[in-house]
């Protein structure tokens, strides 16, 4: 696990940009954190890092937003309003397995509501700090990201 101090919203955005510039198609980011912790801000940074010009907004009501005009596609999912059984019915694995969609980066907000996870992913837990700061705890599962974070 890697812990990163994020002094402000801009730092959270910059972390997302770094991830967007360096991650490859097939990468899955599972985002956790309280309301307002910066999950959507991080995904907006991902979009910038992928050269997506379309505004990235939280898909709280639509569940899934697909952005395909960047370096690689970004699939942004938000499970906030769902129960685990409802998540099962979405067949989310089509996104990380590249079934029926062009392989891209999958970013899932409120991923703790998932009753199953992909075989490889990066878990990002965003927590509040003092005076508007945040902390990101980044834990890769069956993938390597620590070198990426340490060198940037």
């Amino acid at each position: 696990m890697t812990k990163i101090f994020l002094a402000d919203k801009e730092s959270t955005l910059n972390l997302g940009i770094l991830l967007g510039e360096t991650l490859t198609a097939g990468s899955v980011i599972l985002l956790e954190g309280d309301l307002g912790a910066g999950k959507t801000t991080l995904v907006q940074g991902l979009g910038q890092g992928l050269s997506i010009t379309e505004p990235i907004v939280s898909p709280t009501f639509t569940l899934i937003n697909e952005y395909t005009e960047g370096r690689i596609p970004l699939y942004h999912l938000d499970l906030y309003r769902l129960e685990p059984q409802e998540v099962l019915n979405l067949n989310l694995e089509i996104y990380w397995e590249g079934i029926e969609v062009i392989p891209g980066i999958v970013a899932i907000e409120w991923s703790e509501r998932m009753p199953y996870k992909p075989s490889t992913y990066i878990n990002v837990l965003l927590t509040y700090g003092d005076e508007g700061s945040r902390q990101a705890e980044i834990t890769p599962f069956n993938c390597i990201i620590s070198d990426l974070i340490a060198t940037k």
Side-chain angles (χ1 to χ4, degrees):
M1 173 181 44
T2 301
K3 290 185 179 183
I4 299 174
F5 174 75
L6 303 167
D8 51 24
K9 182 178 179 178
E10 190 72 23
S11 299
T12 305
L13 192 69
N14 287 335
L15 175 60
I17 291 169
L18 170 66
L19 293 171
E21 290 174 341
T22 54
L23 292 177
T24 59
S27 299
V28 179
I29 303 171
L30 302 183
L31 297 157
E32 298 181 25
D34 292 334
L35 282 171
K39 296 179 295 296
T40 299
T41 300
L42 187 99
V43 177
Q44 289 168 337
L46 270 170
Q48 286 184 31
L50 292 168
S51 300
I52 295 171
T53 57
E54 184 178 346
I56 294 180
V57 296
S58 181
T60 301
F61 295 100
T62 58
L63 302 181
I64 301 168
N65 287 339
E66 298 181 359
Y67 304 94
T68 57
E69 90 241 8
R71 177 175 63 86
I72 55 176
L74 172 63
Y75 303 107
H76 183 194
L77 294 74
D78 187 326
L79 307 178
Y80 178 70
R81 300 192 177 280
L82 301 178
E83 295 298 323
Q85 186 59 40
E86 294 172 303
V87 174
L88 271 176
N89 296 332
L90 293 177
N91 299 314
L92 298 179
E93 62 276 0
I94 68 169
Y95 287 99
W96 57 77
E97 292 176 2
I99 301 169
E100 300 176 23
V101 298
I102 299 168
I105 294 176
V106 182
I108 305 174
E109 295 189 36
W110 300 96
S111 61
E112 61 271 24
R113 297 172 193 257
M114 296 173 65
Y116 60 93
K117 301 204 179 348
S119 59
T120 63
Y121 61 94
I122 300 161
N123 196 81
V124 178
L125 172 62
L126 294 164
T127 55
Y128 292 103
D130 296 329
E131 299 179 21
S133 69
R134 304 281 189 272
Q135 178 173 287
E137 292 182 13
I138 302 173
T139 308
F141 289 88
N142 296 323
C143 60
I144 299 172
I145 191 172
S146 57
D147 293 335
L148 163 76
I149 298 300
T151 60
K152 297 291 179 173

